[in-house]
Amino acid sequence: MGLSYFSLRPTLDLIRDTALGRVEQIEISYFDRIINDNPLDPVARYMRGLTHFVRGDIKLAINDFDAIGENGLMVNDLRAIKAYVKLMSGDLSAYTEFNALVELEPYNALLKTYLGEWRMRRGALALQEKRALEDILYFRDREYGRALQKFQEAIALDPNCGLAHLNHSKLLIELGQEDSARSVLASSAGLRLPTAIHYLDRSTLFASFGEAALALADLAVVERINPGLANNYRSK
């Protein structure tokens, strides 16, 4: 027998509180058992996908979110996270989805951050592909400028949006503005991030700026959420 939204609500609240480090209380096997009994249960798929996402297991999250789409559960939260997970995997096809969601929720800081990250990744990809149709640097600077605007808008809407601060800092580094990047990153210390991958990214940036205590604090969160990811990082 599958689970309803209401029977899963306590678990949903727990997963959404993952930035407090409570995701380790959720066992993937719990959802595995439910899905084995009812492979078409979209809510259980969503919950398992969300747990994979928070742990940083992106391919597994995509598998579950794709399966949900086939079963009719396409609420805005799922649309947004499904598009973002694909963006994290390197898939830049989600622009239309991000734009549509921002139009529906123009004051949602996280959605603006997702759209800004899409712009930032698109600008970086242009350099890798050496676009022939227009000047490469112009294209990159245009996309980076649009990304910067989205991150700034997101932070203005929600100063506690950790992902917006993290991406803003990464973009400033790309633009050669390391002092500004350091300042923006410092302002994000302790703010919640979506996944273990993001905590690891911020830990690495803090370490690069010589902020050992802040780097270790984020790495401790990674270890709590996904010990394997932390161990892989330490073994490099």
Side-chain angles (χ1 to χ4, degrees):
M1 180 178 180
L3 292 181
S4 70
Y5 171 80
F6 296 103
S7 65
L8 275 174
R9 184 57 187 268
T11 312
L12 177 61
D13 290 340
L14 184 59
I15 290 180
R16 284 178 171 168
D17 206 19
T18 52
L20 297 179
R22 298 170 63 190
V23 72
E24 73 276 7
Q25 298 177 33
I26 302 296
E27 293 290 341
I28 296 293
S29 59
Y30 171 70
F31 300 117
D32 289 343
R33 291 193 297 272
I34 298 167
I35 293 166
N36 285 339
D37 290 339
N38 183 3
L40 298 180
D41 187 328
V43 180
R45 287 269 185 188
Y46 172 65
M47 302 297 287
R48 188 173 71 177
L50 191 58
T51 307
H52 283 312
F53 169 67
V54 170
R55 287 173 50 83
D57 297 327
I58 301 305
K59 290 183 179 179
L60 295 174
I62 288 173
N63 290 341
D64 275 330
F65 292 146
D66 280 345
I68 296 168
E70 298 170 2
N71 294 319
L73 185 65
M74 286 302 291
V75 294
N76 286 347
D77 281 354
L78 171 59
R79 288 175 61 192
I81 201 167
K82 181 177 178 180
Y84 185 62
V85 168
K86 289 191 174 182
L87 177 63
M88 288 183 68
S89 75
D91 183 345
L92 295 182
S93 65
Y95 174 71
T96 301
E97 186 76 325
F98 287 139
N99 249 351
L101 289 165
V102 168
E103 287 183 9
L104 289 172
E105 299 184 47
Y107 301 108
N108 186 313
L110 192 56
L111 289 177
K112 284 184 178 288
T113 301
Y114 290 166
L115 185 54
E117 185 170 333
W118 182 87
R119 291 283 185 191
M120 182 170 67
R121 287 174 180 256
R122 188 167 182 248
L125 185 63
L127 293 180
Q128 295 172 19
E129 293 182 343
K130 299 182 178 178
R131 293 173 59 96
L133 297 180
E134 58 183 304
D135 181 82
I136 295 170
L137 293 178
Y138 169 78
F139 181 85
R140 183 206 64 176
D141 290 345
R142 186 187 71 187
E143 293 303 300
Y144 280 3
R146 291 173 176 175
L148 185 62
Q149 179 183 357
K150 292 303 177 188
F151 297 148
Q152 291 171 337
E153 289 174 0
I155 291 168
L157 287 168
D158 181 5
N160 293 319
C161 183
L163 183 60
H165 286 281
L166 175 61
N167 280 334
H168 189 188
S169 181
K170 286 181 176 180
L171 182 55
L172 290 171
I173 290 172
E174 287 293 317
L175 295 172
Q177 302 176 29
E178 292 202 0
D179 288 342
S180 296
R182 180 195 296 266
S183 176
V184 169
L185 192 68
S187 68
S188 79
L191 295 182
R192 300 177 182 183
L193 294 170
T195 75
I197 292 173
H198 294 104
Y199 279 103
L200 186 57
D201 283 350
R202 192 168 67 184
S203 175
T204 303
L205 286 181
F206 275 136
S208 72
F209 286 133
E211 299 287 353
L214 294 174
L216 288 173
D218 275 343
L219 189 58
V221 178
V222 178
E223 187 154 23
R224 199 158 59 236
I225 296 173
N226 189 339
L229 184 62
N231 290 338
N232 288 341
Y233 173 74
R234 288 195 176 99
S235 66
K236 290 180 180 179

